Amino acid sequence: MSDAMQDRTEPPAQAEAAPAPGWFARMMDHDLMASFLASRVTVLAAVVTLVLVVLALFAPLIAPYNPFDPAEVFLIDSLTPPRWQAGGDPRFLLGTDDQGRDLFSAILYGLRVSLIIGVLGVMMAAAIGITLGLVAGYVGGRVDAVIMRIADVQLTFPAILIALLVDGVVHALLKGASREDTAFGVLVVSIGLSFWVQYARTVRGSTLVEKHKDYIQAARLVGLSPVVIMARHVLPNVIGPVLVILTINLGLAVITEATLSFLGVGLPPTQPSLGTLIRIGNDYLFSGEWWIVAFPGLTLAALVLAVNLLGDWLRDALNPKLR
Amino acid sequence: MLAFIIRRLVQSIGVLLAVAFIAFAMFRFVGDPVNQIVSIEASPEERAQIRESLGLNDPFVVQFARYVGRAAQLDFGISYQFRQPVTKLLGERMPATLELAFVSAVFALVVGIPMGVYTALRRDSWLAKLFQAVSLVGVSLPTFLIGILLIYVFAVTLGWLPSFGRGEVVRIGDWWTTGFLTASGLRALILPSITLGMFQMTLIMRLVRAEMLEVLRTDYIKFARARGLTRRAINFGHALKNTLVPVITITGLQLGSIIAFAIITETVFQWPGMGVLFLQAVQNVDIPIMAAYLLLIAFLFVVINLAVDLLYAVVDPRLKVSVRAA
């Protein structure tokens, strides 16, 4: 992969002559690569993130048991401590939870669910935010005023509160459906609706700048429709900072999912996510079964910390002021 | 200046009206308010009568105006779960949340500012690096995990501090209860306030550090050094003083989110505050409580925001100029 990148930056004369390289090209620029490799913490964070993502993606292959399958839940062995502890069972590396699920498997599946919800939620937030930001910036006028007022009002509230409200309202509207079926979608929607403002503001800001540039005027003269101009010409030029926000928000989204599930308004206990596992573990903290809360907690902390470190690094590396 | 204040006031009222509209829309359209009030056996006639008496047949605008009017008089209706006025329920729990939020904010300031100053002045010492690492963990760890960790260490393992509740409280006046006056009340405050204040503390620390580093580079600090002032006078008299304006602003603005984040902390520590009430309301679709809480947070935020803006305009002369120019 790094070979390809070197190739791309090899002919310096041409690269300099090119009018302002696109964001992606700049990211692949070896400046950034160098700053990445220079920071040992960032490399470590990237490795941790990669390992966790791989574990989550291949959870069904790696996990010794399937926590969704009643045949692989061992109620008799519930609350078994980790293998190396007194009373541990060699079958269960990290012990079992109160329902007799293998904790290691549950964490892998939980990580998978948490990550999928986090990624989908952030993507939904970005989709809403980018669309509204583009429209607000490009169309301007009253549309702009209305969209940005809504954004301002929403900024009044912390995201977690919005997520809680959306969760409550959507569940109320879907009265007939059981929580088991709807929880996943509701979580994604809650996260999407809580985090869109930052994208909208950023995209609107850059759109306002791009709008008056010659190439947009040219596109307009050619007679392209505003939708095409926004999607094909403005969007690629304003998407850069969005990718940074995406990374930073992924950590927040995972925390939000875990928090909602922990508070009991997210996923039901039958579907392991890191949040629900911690919630279950919290109930057993006082009776000494510390492992049920400790391992999912550690996994969550490691994931969020690693993703945040990556986001911080990406933001600093792309910020020309700090270079 | 007056125009600035008036414009700010109008904006604030606009925000509140918008939130009230959302609150009202929730109230009116999520679930049927009549169903929540009458028993299952009520006849259609009875329902129609209640519908009429609640004014649910009036035009939308009239209903909204009525809702706003009542909310202005602190009447948010009756809770579906408890069959009691929402105002009373929230009022009973407000002291617990406000005391927790206050102690958390104080904790965040008292610990965060010195840590920030230290990390800025002694950038390369190991302690500064440790503080930086702690701040990173503080930002990344979810609130509830910090709470669980503290409970496990200080309540379960060491047994030093209580893990739930407010301890003994003393009643002051008609509706305020305080935990400040008893030993158990104060002990009960420690873990929840640290949990709740952790995020703000790291935020303040990072902010103070960044501001200090910036200020220490400016010309007037160089000039102060050239004048031969003591290091202490420069660092604290000149540099720190200039970083405090943004710090106070941010802390003020964060107060609203401290109160909102109290939902999580209160759940972990079974703290009998508004947050737990709100969470119960979300779980049981108790719309009047949800709506009232939403409005309350918006109101707090708007008031704090307004106060901060006005203070800023008074303190910072540059702002006055830009306001006039705008």
Side-chain angles (χ1 to χ4, degrees):
Chain A
M1 189 168 153
S2 67
D3 279 352
M5 262 171 261
Q6 302 261 300
D7 287 344
R8 207 180 271 246
T9 52
E10 206 108 79
Q14 277 177 11
E16 269 167 32
W23 188 86
F24 192 71
R26 249 188 292 148
M27 179 181 155
M28 288 300 147
D29 197 297
H30 86 278
D31 238 24
L32 201 78
M33 239 12 233
S35 100
F36 176 75
L37 293 174
S39 160
R40 250 179 292 162
V41 177
T42 311
V43 175
L44 185 68
V47 171
V48 170
T49 312
L50 198 68
V51 168
L52 289 175
V53 168
V54 168
L55 283 178
L57 277 182
F58 297 105
L61 299 178
I62 300 167
Y65 305 100
N66 178 2
F68 288 105
D69 184 354
E72 296 187 26
V73 166
F74 309 91
L75 209 50
I76 299 171
D77 297 315
S78 63
L79 303 177
T80 307
R83 194 192 278 177
W84 60 88
Q85 288 250 316
D89 188 317
R91 281 179 300 163
F92 310 117
L93 177 63
L94 301 178
T96 58
D97 70 357
D98 63 327
Q99 302 170 37
R101 295 181 297 199
D102 174 44
L103 200 57
F104 179 61
S105 310
I107 288 175
L108 290 185
Y109 277 87
L111 185 66
R112 185 183 164 92
V113 170
S114 290
L115 263 175
I116 292 175
I117 292 180
V119 168
L120 287 181
V122 163
M123 274 166 50
M124 182 171 165
I128 300 174
I130 292 171
T131 312
L132 290 179
L134 269 178
V135 170
Y138 190 79
V139 178
R142 200 163 286 173
V143 179
D144 181 26
V146 169
I147 292 177
M148 291 334 278
R149 261 330 110 216
I150 295 174
D152 284 348
V153 172
Q154 176 157 347
L155 268 191
T156 313
F157 301 98
I160 187 81
L161 187 62
I162 307 272
L164 271 170
L165 275 173
V166 173
D167 189 275
V169 169
V170 175
H171 275 301
L173 291 175
L174 298 172
K175 229 179 305 171
S178 79
R179 207 161 190 114
E180 314 257 317
D181 304 332
T182 56
F184 189 93
V186 172
L187 272 173
V188 172
V189 172
S190 312
I191 293 172
L193 290 181
S194 320
F195 286 103
W196 65 272
V197 175
Q198 212 182 347
Y199 300 93
R201 293 191 142 197
T202 312
V203 169
R204 173 181 174 269
S206 344
T207 305
L208 285 178
V209 176
E210 293 297 321
K211 182 161 101 166
H212 298 292
K213 291 197 176 156
D214 287 345
Y215 71 96
I216 299 294
Q217 302 297 337
R220 231 182 253 172
L221 277 179
V222 176
L224 294 180
S225 78
V227 176
V228 173
I229 296 180
M230 276 191 267
R232 276 234 208 101
H233 299 273
V234 183
L235 185 61
N237 289 297
V238 300
I239 202 91
V242 167
L243 296 184
V244 178
I245 306 178
L246 268 177
T247 326
I248 292 174
N249 271 0
L250 180 59
L252 274 176
V254 170
I255 286 187
T256 306
E257 183 279 319
T259 304
L260 290 178
S261 297
F262 174 78
L263 292 176
V265 293
L267 291 171
T270 47
Q271 297 174 12
S273 85
L274 294 177
T276 48
L277 287 173
I278 293 170
R279 177 185 168 82
I280 295 168
N282 192 33
D283 295 339
Y284 288 88
L285 202 58
F286 284 92
S287 44
E289 282 90 7
W290 53 271
W291 57 90
I292 308 177
V293 70
F295 295 117
L298 265 177
T299 313
L300 177 65
L303 175 67
V304 173
L305 191 61
V307 170
N308 279 355
L309 281 170
L310 277 181
D312 276 357
W313 161 78
L314 198 59
R315 186 187 53 204
D316 291 349
L318 290 174
N319 187 348
K321 263 200 223 158
L322 292 175
R323 279 229 176 127
Chain B
M1 190 62 203
L2 191 67
F4 172 72
I5 295 176
I6 290 173
R7 200 166 64 221
R8 278 294 177 187
L9 267 176
V10 170
Q11 273 176 4
S12 308
I13 291 170
V15 168
L16 277 182
L17 275 179
V19 175
F21 182 78
I22 296 166
F24 171 72
M26 270 169 45
F27 188 68
R28 181 67 189 77
F29 297 113
V30 180
D32 186 353
V34 175
N35 274 347
Q36 300 288 346
I37 291 166
V38 299
S39 63
I40 298 171
E41 303 97 52
S43 67
E45 290 79 32
E46 280 176 283
R47 281 165 193 270
Q49 197 194 342
I50 289 170
R51 180 163 281 276
E52 186 63 40
S53 70
L54 285 175
L56 293 176
N57 295 328
D58 294 341
F60 185 81
V61 182
V62 176
Q63 289 190 43
F64 179 53
R66 197 185 300 133
Y67 183 82
V68 172
R70 283 200 191 135
Q73 297 167 42
L74 296 180
D75 176 4
F76 296 103
I78 308 284
S79 154
Y80 295 161
Q81 303 169 76
F82 302 102
R83 312 270 160 197
Q84 281 178 16
V86 172
T87 314
K88 178 169 166 274
L89 290 167
L90 278 174
E92 278 169 358
R93 285 148 199 263
M94 196 185 280
T97 299
L98 289 186
E99 281 189 355
L100 178 63
F102 174 74
V103 177
S104 304
V106 170
F107 161 78
L109 280 173
V110 169
V111 179
I113 293 179
M115 274 171 82
V117 172
Y118 185 85
T119 46
L121 293 180
R122 300 245 149 67
R123 256 201 291 178
D124 295 319
S125 72
W126 64 270
L127 193 59
K129 284 186 179 139
L130 181 75
F131 284 166
Q132 285 277 83
V134 168
S135 86
L136 199 66
V137 174
V139 169
S140 298
L141 270 189
T143 312
F144 65 96
L145 219 50
I146 296 175
I148 291 173
L149 195 68
L150 288 177
I151 288 181
Y152 187 70
V153 173
F154 292 101
V156 178
T157 310
L158 297 172
W160 289 352
L161 295 164
S163 63
F164 64 90
R166 282 183 86 190
E168 274 174 70
V169 292
V170 176
R171 184 166 283 276
I172 298 175
D174 273 345
W175 58 282
W176 192 275
T177 55
T178 181
F180 287 153
L181 298 175
T182 61
S184 72
L186 287 174
R187 275 159 46 98
L189 266 167
I190 297 175
L191 292 183
S193 337
I194 294 177
T195 307
L196 185 54
M198 185 67 90
F199 183 76
Q200 267 69 27
M201 183 201 88
T202 52
L203 200 74
I204 289 172
M205 185 200 125
R206 287 174 150 216
L207 188 72
V208 170
R209 178 176 178 274
E211 292 280 328
M212 278 290 273
L213 287 177
E214 200 148 295
V215 170
L216 286 175
R217 274 202 295 263
T218 55
D219 287 343
Y220 69 85
I221 294 292
K222 281 182 197 145
F223 182 59
R225 284 207 186 109
R227 269 163 49 206
L229 293 183
T230 60
R231 195 164 274 234
R232 185 192 196 77
I234 297 170
N235 289 343
F236 294 96
H238 292 248
L240 182 61
K241 219 161 105 189
N242 276 289
T243 62
L244 285 185
V245 177
V247 169
I248 287 167
T249 316
I250 297 282
T251 315
L253 295 183
Q254 287 287 320
L255 230 107
S257 61
I258 285 189
I259 290 171
F261 268 98
I263 300 169
I264 303 161
T265 310
E266 286 177 8
T267 309
V268 176
F269 289 93
Q270 294 162 44
W271 190 261
M274 295 187 296
V276 170
L277 186 72
F278 174 71
L279 189 64
Q280 280 174 358
V282 169
Q283 281 161 340
N284 299 317
V285 199
D286 193 341
I287 301 287
I289 290 184
M290 284 163 75
Y293 185 82
L294 188 68
L295 267 173
L296 184 77
I297 296 284
F299 180 73
L300 280 174
F301 185 87
V302 160
V303 168
I304 293 168
N305 224 342
L306 199 64
V308 167
D309 271 349
L310 295 182
L311 266 180
Y312 231 54
V314 173
V315 172
D316 193 340
R318 278 169 304 181
L319 197 81
K320 268 183 215 159
V321 178
S322 69
V323 165
R324 215 165 288 153

